[in-house]
Amino acid sequence: MKRTAASAACLSALALFAGQAVAQSSVTIYGTLDVGFDRVEKSQGNVQGTVFGVSGTTPVPNSIAAPKTITQRLSPSHTRQSNIGFKGVEDLGNGWRGLFVLEGGVTIDNGGMANDNRLFGRQAYVGLTTPVGEIKAGRQASPMLISYYLVTPEALGSTDLFGAGLVVNTVQTWQDNQLSYAIKQGPITAIVSYATNAGIGSGISAARSVATSSTPVATGATGQIVGGLTAGAETASGRGKAAGAMLAYRTDALVALASYHRNNFDNVPIGVVSGTTLVPLFFGEKFTSYMGAVKYTFPGVGTSIAVAGHNAKFDLRGNTDPKVRTWTATLKHPVGAFDLSAIFLDTRFTNYTEGKDRGLMLGVDYNFSKRSALYLRAGGIKDSRGKTVVSSATPLPLAGGPGAILIPLGTQEVPLFSGAGQNIDARTTMVSLGMRHAF
């Protein structure tokens, strides 16, 4: 057994593209550990006239329902998603290789497991490389997630606002029950995938496999977050079926790509938990998204610029079909051992509430080596609530931008701010000082 450095958290998902020499048979241990001390401040929100501003039918003041808060935490996965993985390959000859990957997320602050408390919650698959492409089966990165890893100069940690479009539906990240086929010819890379249930349960809410102070434990009555621990069980109805594709042009200086994702909700209720009961606000039918992105790295300088546009649509029962448009841009510039970065975010409902979220994140990294670094991040997101709308399922109104609505409804979570959430019509800011090490 041997140990090697992994320069990115999704290295194993991109093994097809690495171009590394393969030994006759080998197993590699790799990973990234990232932890920071952060201060998260939320200004008081405005939830009046919405489902989040009432207790039963009684209005609750903003100072109680969406109070100003200041939280100091030791949190994992700010600039990289902490993980540990094992990958193996065996050379079968004539261009054929067998392979496997087992990779789990790690919460460095408490020594626990991320990804809804799964041992190998990021990836767990076996595959076969052939002269005409690579086939893999198991829990894997979606083509949409791989697309984001290829273009963000960051690495989709909680302070990487570049991933805001990716997480409007969590099954765009890691998918259960996935089959994928990838091929690389020169600078062209193509991936297609299909999942029998990528992670859509019988009900969708912010409930988790382990209860916290803010979320109840997931049950059949409460539902669970999209991509939750028990959400991926296949059913005769085909709930959770997903398909994805990516086409990319990649050189040392330029990456240009397009990506597609679609999954079936099969009329599952989407809502909030009251006590131990899921109160539906919508009934989901399907979700569709597209993304186009370009990243350019100036030769000999190392400065990189990336821009991405992501469009998503939730098809719901009735005439309420929220559409989310997200634009992000990143600038990263090396100065000696330092990396300076800036990320800009604009994400909004183009219909529905017409609420929006705008953000900026600034960063400084001091790289002791290619593996170890100290970092500082400072930035925030401002939510504008837009107009108040009534859902098609119940007469319970909603307002706010994508993050402020989709997080409490269980479709969106980390990486944004490590699950800190957002108050409606308020500003959320973060300052973080941390360290990371890759191996």
Side-chain angles (χ1 to χ4, degrees):
M1 183 173 292
K2 60 182 182 179
R3 304 169 71 91
T4 66
S7 60
C10 203
L11 178 63
S12 58
L14 304 176
L16 174 68
F17 320 135
Q20 298 175 344
V22 179
Q24 184 72 19
S25 179
S26 67
V27 174
T28 301
I29 302 174
Y30 65 93
T32 298
L33 302 179
D34 179 308
V35 66
F37 177 75
D38 66 18
R39 181 183 186 274
V40 178
E41 179 174 353
K42 299 181 189 179
S43 63
Q44 180 174 293
N46 178 15
V47 295
Q48 297 306 297
T50 78
V51 64
F52 304 115
V54 296
S55 177
T57 59
T58 304
V60 179
N62 286 325
S63 59
I64 297 175
K68 176 180 178 178
T69 60
I70 298 176
T71 306
Q72 294 179 344
R73 314 175 302 177
L74 194 67
S75 298
S77 304
H78 282 313
T79 65
R80 306 287 188 271
Q81 294 177 33
S82 298
N83 67 90
I84 183 169
F86 309 84
K87 63 180 180 179
V89 295
E90 182 181 9
D91 191 344
L92 304 176
N94 299 318
W96 291 73
R97 293 183 296 172
L99 59 99
F100 77 88
V101 166
L102 297 172
E103 181 179 294
V106 183
T107 53
I108 300 300
D109 55 329
N110 61 13
M113 294 180 290
N115 305 100
D116 223 23
N117 209 36
R118 307 185 197 206
L119 178 60
F120 297 115
R122 288 165 62 88
Q123 300 187 98
Y125 66 79
V126 293
L128 187 65
T129 302
T130 77
V132 292
E134 188 168 85
I135 302 168
K136 297 185 291 190
R139 181 169 171 83
Q140 304 171 53
S142 72
M144 186 68 75
L145 175 57
I146 294 173
S147 298
Y148 271 93
Y149 268 115
L150 289 176
V151 290
T152 175
E154 290 288 285
L156 299 178
S158 66
T159 58
D160 188 358
L161 304 186
F162 200 85
L166 172 70
V167 295
V168 297
N169 181 346
T170 306
V171 298
Q172 289 188 120
T173 57
W174 311 106
Q175 295 185 346
D176 290 344
N177 308 307
Q178 180 180 301
L179 295 167
S180 68
Y181 174 75
I183 189 169
K184 185 178 186 298
Q185 294 291 336
I188 304 298
T189 301
I191 305 173
V192 293
S193 71
Y194 171 77
T196 51
N197 184 350
I200 304 298
S202 58
I204 296 172
S205 75
R208 307 302 301 263
S209 59
V210 178
T212 69
S213 60
S214 59
T215 61
V217 66
T219 66
T222 63
Q224 63 186 295
I225 194 168
V226 167
L229 178 62
T230 60
E234 292 96 334
T235 65
S237 68
R239 183 184 72 237
K241 285 183 178 179
M246 182 198 82
L247 181 64
Y249 175 86
R250 304 173 63 239
T251 66
D252 291 339
L254 176 66
V255 178
L257 58 81
S259 191
Y260 166 80
H261 175 88
R262 172 176 172 151
N263 64 267
N264 176 31
F265 284 135
D266 191 39
N267 287 305
V268 299
I270 305 172
V272 295
V273 179
S274 177
T276 58
T277 303
L278 175 63
V279 179
L281 298 176
F282 311 102
F283 288 88
E285 294 180 341
K286 65 181 179 180
F287 172 87
T288 308
S289 64
Y290 307 84
M291 192 266 279
V294 176
K295 175 184 175 182
Y296 184 75
T297 303
F298 292 88
V301 179
T303 302
S304 62
I305 299 174
V307 178
H310 184 278
N311 281 289
K313 179 181 178 183
F314 292 86
D315 285 289
L316 308 174
R317 185 191 299 174
N319 57 4
T320 303
D321 293 329
K323 299 177 182 178
V324 183
R325 184 185 67 206
T326 303
W327 285 100
T328 47
T330 297
L331 172 66
K332 194 166 188 176
H333 177 65
V335 181
F338 290 90
D339 286 327
L340 310 178
S341 61
I343 308 172
F344 305 90
L345 163 69
D346 184 293
T347 181
R348 62 184 66 201
F349 288 111
T350 56
N351 59 355
Y352 191 47
T353 69
E354 298 179 2
K356 60 188 176 183
D357 298 313
R358 287 180 171 171
L360 170 67
M361 184 63 65
L362 303 176
V364 179
D365 295 54
Y366 179 76
N367 301 295
F368 294 101
S369 68
K370 292 183 178 180
R371 300 185 179 190
S372 299
L374 289 175
Y375 62 79
L376 175 68
R377 293 292 184 274
I381 295 177
K382 174 64 172 69
D383 179 80
S384 300
R385 65 180 267 152
K387 61 186 181 183
T388 302
V389 299
V390 176
S391 75
S392 58
T394 63
L396 297 176
L398 290 168
I405 289 180
L406 298 177
I407 290 172
L409 294 186
T411 74
Q412 177 172 318
E413 56 161 2
V414 288
L416 297 183
F417 290 170
S418 291
Q422 296 170 245
N423 280 343
I424 294 173
D425 209 33
R427 187 181 305 276
T428 303
T429 60
M430 169 186 279
V431 177
S432 176
L433 176 65
M435 64 186 77
R436 66 172 180 267
H437 178 75
F439 58 91

